[in-house]
Amino acid sequence: MRAHIERELKGYAHNIHDEISGGISGVIIQLENIKRTLARVGDEKTVSDINLVILSATETLEASRRIANKLRPSLLDHFGLAAAIDQMLKDFQIRYGVNTSLVIEPNALISKNDKQKLSERQCLEVFRIAQEVLNNIIKHANAHHVDCEINGELEHVIFTFKDDGCGIGWDAVQGVGIGGIKIRALSAHGSVSITPLCPCGTMVKLKVKVLNNDAHRQEG
Ligand SMILES: Nc1ncnc2c1ncn2[C@@H]1O[C@H](COP(=O)(O)OP(=O)(O)OP(=O)(O)O)[C@@H](O)[C@H]1O
Ligand SMILES: [Mg+2]
């Protein structure tokens, strides 16, 4: 069921990207051409009106890219989980001014025979979990640093996120977010723990099982 929904979201994401973003980009290019013609004949007033239209079209283009990316992160499709998490952390740092770091143990995600250890579905679940972990940090933690590590064991890949914020209380009331993290962890053949750190902060540790080849193929 979840795989079906993700496939549909991927379709919507591609439609938004190709049709809406492509269409708006075309409009912007045409407006730029019209603007150049008007500038040549000295119609300053219309040029400045067109500039306003271009600005709002550019903002709409950005919004449609953001929506497409939420539905289906294109980096994940094209460059894989490590690159997608790396970009997510960099965006987070720029947007919220919270320092981030990412350490990936060599071969944590790629097996000796050059195969991705995690299936496409597992990668997507991990990516969505990482998004909610960062959402929670910005909503609740008041942190200055977020450190992420990806480590490989023979049969598992382990993702660790640590923040240095106020720390999740043992009595924190689980909302939709952490509920979703737990469901996604199970769906990725994994388990998750969310614990306060000493002296401050919170650690989210996600342990995902590396599937054998047959199960890997079935998952897609
Ligand atoms: N990194 C964190 N630092 C401090 N507290 C946290 C952190 N992450 C989660 N919490 C606490 O855990 C609670 C539950 O988180 P959860 O994501 O389930 O719900 P939420 O963020 O409040 O709402 P939503 O359902 O929209 O995600 C939060 O309300 C918050 O008190
Ligand atoms: Mg939340």
Side-chain angles (χ1 to χ4, degrees), residues 132-133 135-137 139-140 175-178 181:
E132 176 57 17
V133 168
N135 279 343
N136 275 349
I137 291 172
K139 264 170 80 176
H140 308 295
V176 177
I178 289 181
I181 287 179

Side-chain angles (χ1 to χ4, degrees), residues 4-220:
H4 167 72
I5 293 170
E6 291 290 359
R7 255 198 307 281
E8 250 185 31
L9 291 181
K10 187 175 181 174
Y12 292 141
H14 286 155
N15 284 346
I16 289 175
H17 178 265
D18 295 345
E19 293 179 27
I20 301 186
S21 304
I24 298 171
S25 304
V27 169
I28 292 173
I29 291 167
Q30 284 171 26
L31 286 171
E32 292 284 358
N33 288 339
I34 296 170
K35 197 177 89 178
R36 270 194 292 278
T37 312
L38 289 169
R40 272 200 293 275
V41 296
D43 188 347
E44 299 295 331
K45 166 79 178 76
T46 317
V47 167
S48 86
D49 286 348
I50 289 183
N51 274 335
L52 289 178
V53 180
I54 290 176
L55 190 69
S56 92
T58 309
E59 280 167 7
T60 310
L61 182 64
E62 281 302 311
S64 76
R65 285 205 175 119
R66 273 200 304 277
I67 293 169
N69 218 39
K70 277 224 161 112
L71 292 175
R72 178 78 198 187
S74 59
L75 260 172
L76 188 57
D77 272 350
H78 297 306
F79 298 105
L81 186 56
I85 291 181
D86 185 40
Q87 191 59 48
M88 190 195 303
L89 289 167
K90 284 179 178 148
D91 288 347
F92 185 81
Q93 176 162 324
I94 290 168
R95 186 151 178 208
Y96 298 110
V98 176
N99 285 312
T100 62
S101 73
L102 173 63
V103 177
I104 305 177
E105 186 183 311
N107 302 329
L109 287 161
I110 310 237
S111 67
K112 279 198 191 112
N113 53 359
D114 263 3
K115 290 235 168 68
Q116 292 288 335
K117 285 190 187 171
L118 302 183
S119 71
E120 202 179 305
R121 185 154 72 87
Q122 287 179 305
C123 289
L124 188 58
E125 300 292 24
V126 172
F127 184 85
R128 298 285 186 218
I129 289 172
Q131 280 180 320
E132 176 57 17
V133 168
L134 294 185
N135 279 343
N136 275 349
I137 291 172
I138 216 60
K139 264 170 80 176
H140 308 295
N142 195 20
H144 297 292
H145 292 90
V146 179
D147 298 314
C148 174
E149 273 183 36
I150 306 178
N151 297 100
E153 283 177 358
L154 203 57
E155 295 196 340
H156 293 95
V157 184
I158 298 156
F159 300 84
T160 312
F161 299 87
K162 287 182 189 167
D163 71 60
D164 63 349
C166 62
I168 188 167
W170 289 109
D171 55 351
V173 179
Q174 176 180 312
V176 177
I178 289 181
I181 287 179
K182 289 180 177 167
I183 292 169
R184 286 186 183 281
L186 282 179
S187 149
H189 304 269
S191 58
V192 66
S193 66
I194 304 175
T195 46
L197 287 170
C198 189
C200 66
T202 300
M203 176 168 72
V204 177
K205 196 168 205 154
L206 172 66
K207 191 168 174 175
V208 178
K209 188 166 168 38
V210 176
L211 303 176
N212 65 31
N213 277 347
D214 289 344
H216 206 297
R217 263 195 297 278
Q218 269 172 21
E219 286 247 328

